Amino acid sequence: MDHQKEKSKIRSMEFDALWTAAQAILKHRKFDVSARIIFDETCRMTGATSGYVALLNETGEENEVLFLEAGGKPCTVDPDLPMPIRGLRAQSYYSGRTVFENDFMNSEWMEFMPKGHVVLTNVMFAPLNIEGKTVGIMGLANKPEAFTSNDAEIAAAFGEVAAIALQNSRTLDKLDETVEELEQFNTVLVERELRIIEMKKEVNILCQESGKDIAYPEIWEEG
Protein backbone atom coordinates (compact mmCIF):
# COMPACT_ATOMS: atom_id res chain seq x y z
CA MET A 1 0.00 0.00 0.00
CA ASP A 2 2.85 2.38 0.92
CA HIS A 3 4.51 1.58 -2.39
CA GLN A 4 1.32 2.46 -4.24
CA LYS A 5 1.02 5.74 -2.36
CA GLU A 6 4.62 6.63 -3.17
CA LYS A 7 4.11 5.77 -6.83
CA SER A 8 0.94 7.85 -6.92
CA LYS A 9 2.76 10.77 -5.29
CA ILE A 10 5.54 10.62 -7.89
CA ARG A 11 3.04 10.53 -10.73
CA SER A 12 1.29 13.53 -9.26
CA MET A 13 4.58 15.42 -9.04
CA GLU A 14 5.38 14.52 -12.64
CA PHE A 15 1.99 15.79 -13.76
CA ASP A 16 2.42 19.05 -11.83
CA ALA A 17 5.87 19.57 -13.34
CA LEU A 18 4.63 18.91 -16.87
CA TRP A 19 1.69 21.20 -16.26
CA THR A 20 4.03 23.99 -15.12
CA ALA A 21 6.16 23.42 -18.22
CA ALA A 22 3.10 23.48 -20.48
CA GLN A 23 1.84 26.67 -18.85
CA ALA A 24 5.19 28.29 -19.63
CA ILE A 25 4.38 27.95 -23.34
CA LEU A 26 1.16 29.92 -22.91
CA LYS A 27 2.59 32.57 -20.59
CA HIS A 28 5.89 33.25 -22.32
CA ARG A 29 6.16 33.57 -26.08
CA LYS A 30 9.96 33.93 -26.00
CA PHE A 31 11.60 30.52 -26.06
CA ASP A 32 14.56 31.45 -23.87
CA VAL A 33 12.13 32.21 -21.03
CA SER A 34 9.92 29.12 -21.40
CA ALA A 35 12.98 26.92 -21.99
CA ARG A 36 14.45 27.92 -18.64
CA ILE A 37 11.24 27.03 -16.83
CA ILE A 38 11.02 23.68 -18.63
CA PHE A 39 14.68 22.97 -17.87
CA ASP A 40 14.23 23.75 -14.16
CA GLU A 41 11.21 21.45 -13.94
CA THR A 42 13.14 18.70 -15.71
CA CYS A 43 15.98 19.05 -13.21
CA ARG A 44 13.53 18.97 -10.33
CA MET A 45 11.96 15.73 -11.54
CA THR A 46 15.15 13.92 -12.59
CA GLY A 47 17.46 15.17 -9.85
CA ALA A 48 19.93 16.79 -12.25
CA THR A 49 21.74 19.82 -10.79
CA SER A 50 23.37 21.28 -13.88
CA GLY A 51 22.96 21.40 -17.65
CA TYR A 52 21.89 23.61 -20.51
CA VAL A 53 19.52 24.10 -23.41
CA ALA A 54 20.95 24.66 -26.88
CA LEU A 55 19.60 24.94 -30.41
CA LEU A 56 21.07 23.76 -33.67
CA ASN A 57 22.58 26.62 -35.68
CA GLU A 58 21.73 27.42 -39.30
CA THR A 59 24.54 25.26 -40.68
CA GLY A 60 23.42 22.27 -38.62
CA GLU A 61 26.97 21.70 -37.39
CA GLU A 62 26.99 23.34 -33.96
CA ASN A 63 24.86 24.10 -30.92
CA GLU A 64 24.03 27.64 -29.89
CA VAL A 65 23.63 27.66 -26.11
CA LEU A 66 20.64 29.58 -24.73
CA PHE A 67 21.77 29.26 -21.14
CA LEU A 68 24.02 27.10 -19.01
CA GLU A 69 23.49 26.08 -15.40
CA ALA A 70 26.70 24.95 -13.68
CA GLY A 71 24.92 23.96 -10.49
CA GLY A 72 27.34 25.89 -8.30
CA LYS A 73 30.40 24.06 -9.62
CA PRO A 74 33.36 25.88 -11.21
CA CYS A 75 33.32 26.18 -14.98
CA THR A 76 35.85 28.32 -16.86
CA VAL A 77 34.83 27.39 -20.39
CA ASP A 78 34.00 30.41 -22.55
CA PRO A 79 30.22 30.12 -23.20
CA ASP A 80 30.76 31.76 -26.60
CA LEU A 81 33.01 28.93 -27.80
CA PRO A 82 31.47 26.77 -30.54
CA MET A 83 29.76 23.57 -29.37
CA PRO A 84 30.02 21.07 -32.24
CA ILE A 85 27.65 18.13 -32.55
CA ARG A 86 29.85 15.31 -31.29
CA GLY A 87 30.27 12.92 -28.40
CA LEU A 88 27.29 11.69 -26.43
CA ARG A 89 25.07 14.58 -27.46
CA ALA A 90 25.64 13.58 -31.09
CA GLN A 91 24.10 10.20 -30.22
CA SER A 92 20.97 12.00 -29.09
CA TYR A 93 20.93 14.31 -32.10
CA TYR A 94 21.32 11.53 -34.65
CA SER A 95 18.94 9.07 -32.99
CA GLY A 96 16.34 11.62 -31.87
CA ARG A 97 16.23 9.81 -28.51
CA THR A 98 17.23 10.49 -24.93
CA VAL A 99 20.60 9.02 -23.95
CA PHE A 100 22.58 9.00 -20.70
CA GLU A 101 25.91 7.93 -19.23
CA ASN A 102 26.34 7.37 -15.49
CA ASP A 103 30.15 7.07 -15.46
CA PHE A 104 30.92 10.00 -17.68
CA MET A 105 34.38 10.84 -16.31
CA ASN A 106 35.62 7.37 -17.25
CA SER A 107 33.71 7.10 -20.52
CA GLU A 108 34.86 7.46 -24.11
CA TRP A 109 33.01 10.76 -24.28
CA MET A 110 35.50 12.54 -22.02
CA GLU A 111 37.87 13.17 -24.91
CA PHE A 112 35.39 15.67 -26.33
CA MET A 113 35.26 17.77 -23.16
CA PRO A 114 36.95 21.21 -23.36
CA LYS A 115 39.47 22.20 -20.69
CA GLY A 116 37.92 23.93 -17.71
CA HIS A 117 34.48 22.36 -18.17
CA VAL A 118 32.47 21.70 -15.04
CA VAL A 119 33.05 18.20 -13.64
CA LEU A 120 30.38 15.80 -14.88
CA THR A 121 29.70 12.64 -12.91
CA ASN A 122 26.74 11.66 -15.06
CA VAL A 123 25.11 13.14 -18.14
CA MET A 124 21.82 12.85 -19.99
CA PHE A 125 20.69 14.45 -23.25
CA ALA A 126 17.06 14.89 -24.32
CA PRO A 127 16.43 16.00 -27.91
CA LEU A 128 14.03 18.69 -29.06
CA ASN A 129 12.37 17.16 -32.10
CA ILE A 130 10.20 19.07 -34.58
CA GLU A 131 8.64 17.22 -37.51
CA GLY A 132 11.07 14.33 -37.18
CA LYS A 133 14.19 16.49 -36.98
CA THR A 134 16.27 17.21 -33.88
CA VAL A 135 16.62 20.99 -33.74
CA GLY A 136 17.97 21.37 -30.24
CA ILE A 137 18.95 19.56 -27.11
CA MET A 138 18.56 19.69 -23.35
CA GLY A 139 21.62 18.57 -21.44
CA LEU A 140 21.25 17.37 -17.85
CA ALA A 141 24.05 16.40 -15.50
CA ASN A 142 25.31 15.69 -12.01
CA LYS A 143 22.40 13.89 -10.43
CA PRO A 144 23.55 12.74 -6.96
CA GLU A 145 22.54 9.20 -7.87
CA ALA A 146 22.64 7.44 -11.23
CA PHE A 147 20.22 8.41 -13.97
CA THR A 148 17.59 5.76 -14.65
CA SER A 149 15.45 4.75 -17.59
CA ASN A 150 12.55 6.45 -15.82
CA ASP A 151 14.58 9.68 -15.73
CA ALA A 152 15.13 9.27 -19.46
CA GLU A 153 11.38 8.95 -20.05
CA ILE A 154 10.74 12.06 -17.98
CA ALA A 155 13.44 14.02 -19.80
CA ALA A 156 12.05 12.87 -23.15
CA ALA A 157 8.59 14.14 -22.18
CA PHE A 158 9.99 17.53 -21.17
CA GLY A 159 12.02 17.59 -24.37
CA GLU A 160 8.76 17.24 -26.30
CA VAL A 161 7.27 20.13 -24.34
CA ALA A 162 10.36 22.23 -25.05
CA ALA A 163 10.08 21.42 -28.76
CA ILE A 164 6.47 22.61 -28.75
CA ALA A 165 7.55 25.80 -26.97
CA LEU A 166 10.23 26.38 -29.59
CA GLN A 167 7.86 25.77 -32.48
CA ASN A 168 5.25 28.04 -30.91
CA SER A 169 7.81 30.81 -30.41
CA ARG A 170 9.05 30.54 -34.00
CA THR A 171 5.48 30.56 -35.34
CA LEU A 172 4.64 33.71 -33.38
CA ASP A 173 7.83 35.38 -34.60
CA LYS A 174 6.93 34.55 -38.20
CA LEU A 175 3.41 35.85 -37.60
CA ASP A 176 4.85 39.12 -36.31
CA GLU A 177 7.04 39.36 -39.41
CA THR A 178 4.04 38.71 -41.66
CA VAL A 179 1.94 41.34 -39.89
CA GLU A 180 4.77 43.86 -40.17
CA GLU A 181 5.17 43.13 -43.88
CA LEU A 182 1.42 43.52 -44.41
CA GLU A 183 1.42 46.81 -42.53
CA GLN A 184 4.31 48.06 -44.66
CA PHE A 185 2.51 46.94 -47.82
CA ASN A 186 -0.67 48.65 -46.68
CA THR A 187 1.24 51.86 -45.99
CA VAL A 188 2.68 51.79 -49.50
CA LEU A 189 -0.79 51.21 -50.99
CA VAL A 190 -2.33 54.05 -49.00
CA GLU A 191 0.45 56.45 -49.97
CA ARG A 192 0.07 55.39 -53.60
CA GLU A 193 -3.69 55.92 -53.49
CA LEU A 194 -3.29 59.37 -51.89
CA ARG A 195 -0.80 60.34 -54.58
CA ILE A 196 -3.22 59.18 -57.29
CA ILE A 197 -5.96 61.33 -55.75
CA GLU A 198 -3.63 64.33 -55.69
CA MET A 199 -2.72 63.74 -59.33
CA LYS A 200 -6.42 63.56 -60.28
CA LYS A 201 -7.02 66.84 -58.48
CA GLU A 202 -4.17 68.40 -60.40
CA VAL A 203 -5.66 67.16 -63.68
CA ASN A 204 -9.06 68.60 -62.68
CA ILE A 205 -7.45 71.97 -62.02
CA LEU A 206 -5.77 71.94 -65.42
CA CYS A 207 -9.07 71.01 -67.05
CA GLN A 208 -10.83 73.82 -65.26
CA GLU A 209 -8.15 76.33 -66.20
CA SER A 210 -8.37 75.30 -69.86
CA GLY A 211 -12.17 75.56 -69.90
CA LYS A 212 -12.75 71.85 -70.21
CA ASP A 213 -14.97 69.58 -68.17
CA ILE A 214 -13.16 68.18 -65.16
CA ALA A 215 -11.90 64.64 -65.76
CA TYR A 216 -12.52 63.25 -62.29
CA PRO A 217 -15.72 64.72 -60.82
CA GLU A 218 -15.89 62.02 -58.14
CA ILE A 219 -12.95 63.52 -56.25
CA TRP A 220 -13.49 67.15 -57.08
CA GLU A 221 -13.90 69.39 -54.06
CA GLU A 222 -15.65 72.71 -54.46
CA GLY A 223 -13.40 75.59 -53.45
Side-chain angles (χ1 to χ4, degrees), residues 1-208:
M1 185 65 178
D2 291 340
H3 176 71
Q4 285 297 110
K5 286 184 177 180
E6 182 65 23
K7 187 176 180 180
S8 177
K9 180 180 179 181
I10 292 174
R11 288 301 180 190
S12 178
M13 291 174 61
E14 291 174 355
F15 175 82
D16 290 342
L18 282 169
W19 176 250
T20 299
Q23 286 291 98
I25 301 175
L26 301 176
K27 292 180 180 179
H28 307 284
R29 61 176 298 168
K30 294 299 182 183
F31 180 66
D32 56 347
V33 178
S34 58
R36 181 69 208 214
I37 296 172
I38 294 168
F39 171 82
D40 288 343
E41 290 300 314
T42 309
C43 287
R44 185 168 71 88
M45 292 309 304
T46 61
T49 59
S50 59
Y52 65 86
V53 172
L55 301 179
L56 197 63
N57 68 1
E58 291 183 358
T59 66
E61 297 176 353
E62 295 178 355
N63 277 310
E64 293 181 351
V65 179
L66 288 181
F67 62 83
L68 189 149
E69 173 57 61
K73 294 187 176 184
C75 181
T76 58
V77 176
D78 183 352
D80 294 326
L81 285 176
M83 184 184 286
I85 309 302
R86 63 186 185 185
L88 185 59
R89 64 172 163 264
Q91 301 297 312
S92 184
Y93 260 107
Y94 298 147
S95 68
R97 298 177 180 275
T98 300
V99 298
F100 62 91
E101 171 60 63
N102 281 317
D103 190 17
F104 193 81
M105 300 304 291
N106 296 314
S107 71
E108 60 183 297
W109 314 117
M110 269 302 295
E111 64 176 294
F112 300 108
M113 293 292 289
K115 185 178 179 181
H117 196 285
V118 62
V119 175
L120 300 174
T121 54
N122 48 33
V123 172
M124 180 160 59
F125 290 105
L128 278 59
N129 299 322
I130 295 178
E131 297 179 353
K133 179 182 178 181
T134 300
V135 297
I137 204 153
M138 178 161 52
L140 305 162
N142 294 334
K143 179 181 179 179
E145 303 85 25
F147 283 120
T148 66
S149 57
N150 185 61
D151 292 330
E153 290 179 3
I154 291 172
F158 280 100
E160 291 178 6
V161 174
I164 294 171
L166 175 60
Q167 191 171 31
N168 181 68
S169 179
R170 288 178 172 177
T171 299
L172 290 174
D173 287 343
K174 287 182 179 179
L175 180 60
D176 285 345
E177 292 175 3
T178 301
V179 170
E180 184 177 351
E181 289 174 357
L182 288 173
E183 289 176 346
Q184 291 175 351
F185 182 67
N186 183 65
T187 299
V188 171
L189 287 179
V190 170
E191 290 176 351
R192 176 177 175 273
E193 184 64 25
L194 290 174
R195 179 53 186 152
I196 290 174
I197 292 174
E198 289 301 317
M199 291 175 65
K200 287 182 176 180
K201 287 182 178 180
E202 291 172 5
V203 170
N204 281 347
I205 292 173
L206 291 173
C207 289
Q208 189 179 48

